[in-house]
Amino acid sequence: MARRAGRAARRSFLRLDERLPLADVTRGAVRKAFPDHWSFLLGEIALYSLIILLLTGTWLTFFFQPSMRDTVYAGPYAPLRGLQVSQAYASTLRISFEVRGGLLIRQMHHWAALVFVFAIGAHLLRVFLTGAFRRPREANWVVGVTMLLLALVEGFAGYSLPDDLLSGTGLRTAQGIMLSVPVVGTYLSFFAFGGEYPGQDIVSRLYPVHILLVPGLLVGLVSLHLLLVVHLKHTQWAGPGRTGRNVVGKPLFPHYTAKSAGLFFLTGAVLAGLGALAQINPVWVYGPYRTDLVSSGSQPDWYVGFLEGALRLMPGVETRLGGHTLMWNPLVPGVLLPGLLFTAVYGYPFFERWITGQRGERHLCDRPRNRPARTALAVAAVTLYAVLLLAGAQDILAFITEIPVQAITWTLRCAVVVLPPVAFWLTRRLCLALQARDAEVLVHGVESGEVRMSVEGDFEPLHVPLPAAQRYVSAVYEVPAPLPEEAVGSLPAWQRRAGRLRRALSRWYHGGRLPSPLTAEDRRRVEDVIAGPDRAAGEPADRS
């Protein structure tokens, strides 16, 4: 019986494989090589957090009522009993106090959202610092940044659903940002809230956005991202046997599957532990939203804290123009700043390719120290974000430190202007110093711990060559040069100006670069290792 069943299953598989190449696809998939460096796991943490978000969010939809219709709370939480609240707020309290396991699932959902956004941000920062966004992965970079943007929208929409005093304060801020948009601001507010603020429709409109629209887009983008990763292959750190034309790592099955499954269960366990032990968003403490109240010490989730800080630091300035009033706060921090930020992040791969002239494929990761300008830009951006995040809590800082809030505000305004350039300069100098240290070690080796005494009585430390693996890592990197001067001839004036700007930016980007300590022959070997599949070994790197 079992033998007949086995033969039938084999025949069925062969007939299906004749129509769909299952065997070839499966054979290729299970042998796919995955790099085993820890930094590549950041993207997987984001994926597993999304899975937990989908599972816990689906469970919550069975109990949440997305309605702002008034009702009288008659649940077990005594301080709110008899109070008129919205059905959305009442259902959130019911999930927290009456549904078995409801508070655990709700808090797991909130913690998973925070970890999801953090993991995407950390993953994008790793991709940025290592240059993994370069050709042929520009499209995947755009997909990743879009996922971060959607994650912010998804988090804010979910944060606003309970209709408590804290989330209502956030919605009031969002409505103020909408109203600051010239000409169309009032229309945007009316469309979102279904009339005058707060209206009766915002929760019922945010609900399908939160449970259907944005999750569907995220799942689609994740699928596209994974498809591109499989098609384009992973980048990898330089090491013996690793070149720009191969990927060295563990096969998908069984090695990487076991490790990835372990990471999934570990991520779930951490989120379950946080949901059980670390209280987050206690809506019963804040109370239901009322337009005439603002919760004391209101703080948004960390991923939009920079926006809150920018709103608090921007002076209240307005301009009358053409019969319209331009409110620079919140227009600048709430609309222009995020727009410029995401535009810069989207366009950076193409900007770097333009000022460096490097258009070939790159499959080896850069060490951040070997790209000083790029690393310094990342540190400056993180510094700016940290200052704005701190500014979002200026009132709490003033309460804790007993320093006047005006003094803290002006200090942080100065810090926004001063600290990012200082961080850029320091980081660039540190990267160049680390490059110089690497060059010295490549030439002279590392100290052995022994000294030699000359006949004159002088002492000299003895050095030994670097181990092969460390020498490979320190030696295999690109040494880019600024774009050369070009004959402009009879080019139009705008092209000549663009060319001068491009060369000036290229000189700035490569400023202070150190020459490679390797011989010309060794440099040619390094270039052959770095060369991608679109460039034959020995062929010079393209510059255009």
Side-chain angles (χ1 to χ4, degrees):
M1 187 70 178
R3 192 175 302 169
R4 281 200 304 271
R7 285 198 298 266
R10 186 172 183 275
R11 284 196 303 269
S12 299
F13 179 81
L14 291 176
R15 289 171 182 171
L16 186 60
D17 187 54
E18 290 175 357
R19 295 158 179 80
L20 299 172
L22 295 178
D24 293 339
V25 172
T26 304
R27 189 181 302 111
V30 299
R31 301 305 298 172
K32 176 176 170 53
F34 281 81
D36 54 1
H37 194 270
W38 66 267
S39 61
F40 291 92
L41 300 178
L42 293 171
E44 293 192 32
I45 293 175
L47 173 62
Y48 299 148
S49 299
L50 177 61
I51 293 174
I52 294 171
L53 274 171
L54 294 174
L55 294 175
T56 55
T58 301
W59 188 90
L60 291 171
T61 58
F62 292 112
F63 306 98
F64 182 75
Q65 294 183 7
S67 172
M68 296 182 69
R69 198 176 310 169
D70 289 336
T71 185
V72 176
Y73 178 69
Y77 188 66
L80 296 177
R81 195 175 299 148
L83 196 66
Q84 186 169 305
V85 300
S86 67
Q87 291 184 353
Y89 185 74
S91 65
T92 305
L93 293 179
R94 178 171 175 262
I95 291 172
S96 301
F97 295 122
E98 300 178 61
V99 177
R100 187 178 298 275
L103 183 59
L104 172 65
I105 299 299
R106 193 174 73 82
Q107 295 199 147
M108 277 185 64
H109 188 72
H110 201 128
W111 278 114
L114 299 184
V115 173
F116 177 57
V117 178
F118 175 81
I120 293 179
H123 179 61
L124 284 173
L125 188 60
R126 195 276 302 175
V127 170
F128 182 84
L129 290 173
T130 61
F133 55 79
R134 294 172 296 179
R135 182 181 174 189
R137 297 177 179 84
E138 302 97 333
N140 228 357
W141 171 262
V142 172
V143 169
V145 176
T146 305
M147 288 172 58
L148 176 62
L149 182 59
L150 289 176
L152 298 179
V153 174
E154 176 76 345
F156 180 77
Y159 168 87
S160 304
L161 288 179
D163 196 33
D164 61 289
L165 188 56
L166 183 60
S167 66
T169 302
L171 280 174
R172 184 60 160 172
T173 303
Q175 193 246 359
I177 294 174
M178 293 179 193
L179 290 177
S180 71
V181 178
V183 182
V184 299
T186 53
Y187 298 99
L188 289 175
S189 176
F190 266 68
F191 174 77
F193 291 91
E196 289 288 350
Y197 179 87
Q200 292 293 321
D201 298 332
I202 186 63
V203 169
S204 58
R205 292 181 178 182
L206 285 176
Y207 188 65
V209 170
H210 181 68
I211 70 168
L212 289 176
L213 179 60
V214 179
L217 292 174
L218 282 172
V219 170
L221 288 175
V222 167
S223 303
L224 177 60
H225 176 74
L226 295 176
L227 181 64
L228 289 173
V229 167
V230 171
H231 175 67
L232 300 173
K233 310 297 186 293
H234 281 82
T235 55
Q236 60 185 348
W237 294 98
R242 299 174 183 174
T243 72
R245 295 178 294 276
N246 66 11
V247 179
V248 178
K250 303 294 185 183
L252 173 62
F253 186 83
H255 301 79
Y256 202 80
T257 301
K259 182 166 68 173
S260 188
L263 180 62
F264 170 72
F265 290 116
L266 180 61
T267 302
V270 170
L271 292 175
L274 288 172
L277 303 175
Q279 185 183 77
I280 190 169
N281 198 25
V283 296
W284 54 90
V285 175
Y286 309 136
Y289 180 61
R290 285 175 46 183
T291 56
D292 59 331
L293 297 178
V294 175
S295 57
S296 176
S298 298
Q299 300 293 313
D301 284 334
W302 69 268
Y303 49 83
V304 289
F306 78 98
L307 186 61
E308 174 78 10
L311 289 168
R312 296 189 182 195
L313 294 186
M314 179 71 186
V317 181
E318 63 181 56
T319 303
R320 292 287 296 175
L321 184 65
H324 297 278
T325 301
L326 292 180
M327 297 295 298
W328 297 109
N329 185 5
L331 178 62
V332 171
V335 179
L336 299 183
L337 176 64
L340 290 174
L341 172 65
F342 275 96
T343 299
V345 174
Y346 271 115
Y348 183 84
F350 311 98
F351 169 76
E352 182 176 298
R353 188 174 65 183
W354 182 63
I355 64 173
T356 60
Q358 297 175 342
R359 301 185 180 276
E361 293 187 8
R362 301 295 189 277
H363 297 279
L364 288 181
C365 294
D366 290 328
R367 298 176 79 193
R369 67 184 64 182
N370 293 327
R371 296 285 182 169
R374 183 202 297 155
T375 304
L377 283 173
V379 174
V382 171
T383 302
L384 175 63
Y385 173 84
V387 173
L388 293 179
L389 185 63
L390 199 62
Q394 32 123 251
D395 53 340
I396 295 178
L397 291 176
F399 177 78
I400 294 174
T401 62
E402 298 184 356
I403 299 174
V405 69
Q406 293 85 356
I408 292 179
T409 299
W410 277 103
T411 301
L412 292 172
R413 284 174 178 171
C414 295
V416 163
V417 177
V418 173
L419 289 187
V422 171
F424 179 90
W425 182 81
L426 286 175
T427 304
R428 191 166 188 168
R429 299 308 304 172
L430 179 61
C431 289
L432 293 173
L434 290 173
Q435 283 188 34
R437 172 60 179 167
D438 286 346
E440 179 184 354
V441 170
L442 276 174
V443 174
H444 301 292
V446 294
E447 293 186 7
S448 64
E450 299 180 355
V451 295
R452 175 190 300 157
M453 186 175 68
S454 66
V455 293
E456 292 86 4
D458 296 331
F459 293 92
E460 177 185 357
L462 294 178
H463 294 75
V464 295
L466 274 177
Q470 294 183 25
R471 181 176 176 81
Y472 195 102
V473 171
S474 299
V476 176
Y477 66 93
E478 294 183 85
V479 186
L483 292 173
E485 294 291 334
E486 297 177 353
V488 295
S490 58
L491 291 176
W494 69 271
Q495 288 189 359
R496 292 198 297 271
R497 286 193 294 269
R500 286 195 295 269
L501 175 62
R502 184 187 182 194
R503 289 188 291 274
L505 289 173
S506 182
R507 288 192 297 271
W508 165 82
Y509 182 84
H510 298 101
R513 67 188 182 94
L514 301 177
S516 173
L518 303 179
T519 63
E521 180 62 28
D522 286 340
R523 281 305 313 166
R524 282 194 293 272
R525 293 175 182 170
V526 168
E527 290 178 1
D528 290 343
V529 169
I530 296 174
D534 62 333
R535 178 159 59 94
E539 181 182 347
D542 58 335
R543 301 295 295 273
S544 58

